[in-house]
Amino acid sequence: MVDAATSDRLVASGPDTQGPSDQDGGENSENMAIPLDDLEADPLVTSAAANNGAQTHESELIEPGRALALADFQPPRLGAGEKLIRLAYRLGVPGSTLAAPLKKPGKPRLLATVESPLAGERAAGVALRAGHFLIHGVKAPIAQMDWSSKALLTPPFELAVHGFTWARDLAACGPREQCTGTAERVLSSWLDANPKPAKGAAWTVRAAGHRLLNWLVHAPLLLGGQDKHLRNRTLAAAAQTARWLDRNVSKADDRLAEVAGWTAITAAGLLLPDGKPRRLFGEAGLMRALGELVGEDGGVLSRSPLDQMEAITLLTELSACYKATRRDAPDAIDAMLNLLVPPLLAVVHSDGALGSWQGCNAVPGERISALIEASGVRTRPLRDVRQWGYQRVNAGKGLLQFDAAPPPLARHTRSGCASTLGLEFSHDGQRIIVNCGGAGVAGGQTPVRIERGLRASAAHSTLTLDDANSTAVLIRGKLGSGVGEVEVDRRTQMLDSSTGKGGSATRIEASHDGYAARYALMHRRIVILRDEGTELRGEDLLVPSGRKPKRGKVGYAIRFHIGPGIELGLSEDKRGAGLALPDGSYWQMRISGDDKGKLAIEESLWVDGEGRPQPIQQLVLQGMVSRGGANFTWLLKKMG
C-alpha cells in the first residue's frame, strides 16, 4: 500500500501548491479544486439574488415521526357474525369452540404447505450442515449451544436460535432431503430445552413471533423427516406458542416486535385447524400495529433500514401463507408493502448496498434486490421525504444521502443513533463519505461493547460540540433528550454561467436544535451537489439560538468518515486533503471558515455488509469556536 503521508498523488492542492491535475497545462485547469479564497468569497447561505432562477420550496419543519392514520389500514370488512366471533375470541373463547362448537377439537396439523419467495443465505446454511451457526461472521458450534431461554446470547444469536431465522438459510443451501437431518437436530435440541413457555429470551414476543412463523413457513424442512414423534411435538409446540402469543402479543417491547407477533398469529389462523377466529383476531391486531409502526411516508418510525427490511420480510412471508391457503390477502397488506419498499430504496447507495443509518450496516445489494423481488413490489425510491427523513440526491454517478429529520423516539428504536445532519456520499459504486454504522448487528464480529460508540454523533459524518452527542445515547438502544425538531429546505438551483460552467445543482439546507439547550447554538448544514455528481459543496454554521449570544468558546469537531480502500494525504497547510480511490480516481477536499482549525487524519471503522468492522480513516476538522457563532465551508471535488 502506498504511504498516504508521503505520496505525491495524495497531497491536496492549496492556494499556493500545484495539484496533479494541472500537469497537463491550462486545458485541464477547470478540474482544479476551488481555491480557499474562492470558498470564502462564495458562501453557501443563499441570498435573495442567488435564488434567482432557483426552484424554491417552502421550508418544512420536521418533528418526531407520526404514525399512519388507522383509517388507512383497517382489517377486511366483516359481517355481524364474524365480528361476534372475533370479539368472543378476543375475550378468551377457544377457537375450536367458535369454529366447530359441536365437534371435538382435532389434533394439531398443517392445512397447507407454504412456498416462501424469500431466499436465505447459502453460506450460513452450508455452515449449519457443517455443524455450526454462522451469524455476522461468527461461528458457534451447534453441539456447544445453550438452547435454554436463560442463556446469555448476543442479540443476533438470540434471534437466530430462538426465532429460528436460520431455517431460511438452511433451506437455501441444498435439496430438502439433504438438510432435514440438520433441521431436526437443532429443532429437537431447542424443544428439549424449552418444553413450555417461560421467562427469558425465547419467550419475548419478537422471538416467539419469528419462531412460530418460521415453523409454519418452513414446515416441510423442519417436519419432513421420518421422526413422527418430533413432528407431533413440534405441532403441539406451535399450537402452544400461538396460544401464548394470543395472550401476550400486546406486551411486546416495541411496535415491530408486536407486528412480528400479530403476523405469526394470523399465519397460525390460516394454517392450523379451527383457525378462523384466530385469523380474524390476528388481522385486526396486525392492521392496528402496522398503523402504529409506520410513518406517513412509509418509513418505520425507528428510521432503521434494518427494521424496514424486517417489516417487509414479515409481510412477504404472511402473503405466502395466504397464497398457500388459496385465500386473498387483505388489501391493506399489499398497500403496506407498497408503502414500505420506496423508503428502503431511498437509502440504497450507488453500489446497490444500504447506507449506514440508525444502526444499519451496509447490507449487500443482492440481499436488497432479492427482498424487493420477493415482495412483488415494483417502484422507485421515495421522493417525498417527511418523517423517514433521509434526503436522497442522485446526480450523474454521484449519490448523496442526508439525514434531515430528528432521531426516532425512544419507544420506537432498538439501535437509535444521534445522526442528525449526517451525510453519506458515493460515486460510481465507491463509498467516499460514510458513517460507521453497525450498531444493530453488534454481537457478531462487531463487539457489543462498542455498540454505544457506533450510535454516537461522532460515529457519523457531521458536526459535534464539546465531544457531546446531539441527542443523548442511552443503554439498550434508546435515545434521550436532544434534537427536537429539524427545519429543512430543498431546492434545485441554477449555477452561475458566467464562469463557463453553468448547469444546475441540488441544494439542501437543514438545521437542528440538539445543542441549543446546552450551548445556545443551532447547527445548520448546507450541502450542494452538482448535477454531474463530481462536486459536493458544504457549509456548517453555528448560529446563536438566543437573542444574546453566550460568552466564551466551545470545542467543535467536523468529521468525514472516509470509505474503505481510500488512501488519504494532507496538504502542507493542513487545510485540505487528497483522496485516492481504489478505482484510480482522485478527489480533493478543501476547507475554510472563521476558525484556524486544521484537518487531521484519524483512525475510524466501518461495519460492512457481513457485519464485520473494517478499519478506515476519517478527516477531522476541530478546534475552539466562539459561542457567538461561526461557519465552516468545505468542498469535495473529483480531480481526475
Side-chain angles (χ1 to χ4, degrees), residues 51-89:
N51 278 332
N52 291 335
Q55 296 179 11
T56 60
H57 307 277
E58 291 185 2
S59 298
E60 184 177 5
L61 187 64
I62 307 297
E63 298 176 345
R66 296 184 293 274
L68 286 164
L70 296 182
D72 296 336
F73 291 92
Q74 292 289 346
R77 292 184 178 181
L78 304 178
E82 290 181 324
K83 288 182 180 180
L84 185 60
I85 290 174
R86 185 174 67 192
L87 175 61
Y89 189 82

Side-chain angles (χ1 to χ4, degrees), residues 75 124 129 169 188 218 221 227 296 307 322 378 433 589 638:
R129 291 176 60 187
D169 300 330
S188 178
H218 298 287
L221 172 67
D227 191 339
E296 293 178 346
D307 292 351
Y322 277 100
R378 300 295 178 265
I433 299 176
M589 174 170 278
K638 184 179 181 182

Side-chain angles (χ1 to χ4, degrees), residues 119-182:
E121 296 296 318
R122 186 178 184 277
V126 171
L128 277 166
R129 291 176 60 187
H132 53 258
F133 287 99
L134 178 62
I135 300 174
H136 298 316
V138 174
K139 293 182 179 180
I142 293 175
Q144 300 176 17
M145 182 63 63
D146 186 347
W147 307 96
S148 70
S149 187
K150 296 181 179 180
L152 297 178
L153 302 176
T154 61
F157 275 90
E158 281 185 354
L159 184 61
V161 170
H162 298 305
F164 278 70
T165 56
W166 53 265
R168 186 181 304 119
D169 300 330
L170 187 59
C173 76
R176 183 186 304 164
E177 58 271 14
Q178 297 180 10
C179 303
T180 299
T182 301

Side-chain angles (χ1 to χ4, degrees), residues 345-541:
L345 294 177
V347 289
V348 170
H349 266 292
S350 59
D351 60 359
L354 288 181
S356 302
W357 299 107
Q358 291 299 321
C360 184
N361 60 316
V363 178
E366 55 268 23
R367 296 186 198 173
I368 305 301
S369 299
L371 177 61
I372 301 306
E373 183 177 357
S375 73
V377 177
R378 300 295 178 265
T379 186
R380 295 182 178 181
L382 179 68
R383 295 178 60 88
D384 188 11
V385 179
R386 296 189 186 91
Q387 262 58 50
W388 186 238
Y390 300 114
Q391 297 283 339
R392 173 188 175 96
V393 182
N394 200 343
K397 296 181 179 181
L399 195 147
L400 172 69
Q401 295 177 9
F402 184 57
D403 185 357
L409 297 175
R411 65 177 180 270
H412 297 310
T413 183
R414 295 174 176 174
S415 301
C417 298
S419 60
T420 311
L421 302 197
L423 62 86
E424 292 199 337
F425 178 68
S426 61
H427 186 273
D428 197 17
Q430 172 65 56
R431 297 184 183 220
I432 300 177
I433 299 176
V434 300
N435 301 312
C436 295
V441 297
Q445 287 195 29
T446 300
V448 173
R449 67 178 181 273
I450 68 171
E451 181 259 354
R452 286 186 69 184
L454 295 175
R455 297 164 51 212
S457 295
H460 299 80
S461 293
T462 187
L463 175 145
T464 60
L465 288 179
D466 201 24
D467 291 328
N469 295 314
S470 57
T471 297
V473 173
L474 308 179
I475 62 173
R476 299 178 183 176
K478 302 303 180 182
L479 296 172
S481 60
V483 177
E485 57 187 30
V486 172
E487 187 172 2
V488 59
D489 176 84
R490 175 170 175 162
R491 66 189 69 198
T492 299
Q493 183 169 311
M494 303 306 297
L495 302 177
D496 186 2
S497 60
S498 62
T499 61
K501 296 181 181 179
S504 61
T506 299
R507 178 185 188 277
I508 303 174
E509 179 176 351
S511 63
H512 75 73
D513 58 353
Y515 294 116
R518 284 169 286 179
Y519 306 107
L521 289 170
M522 301 279 288
H523 176 206
R524 181 188 302 169
R525 169 165 274 188
I526 304 165
V527 290
I528 299 177
L529 179 62
R530 292 180 65 101
D531 282 353
E532 66 269 22
T534 58
E535 181 179 301
L536 176 65
R537 288 179 172 232
E539 185 169 15
D540 288 286
L541 300 96

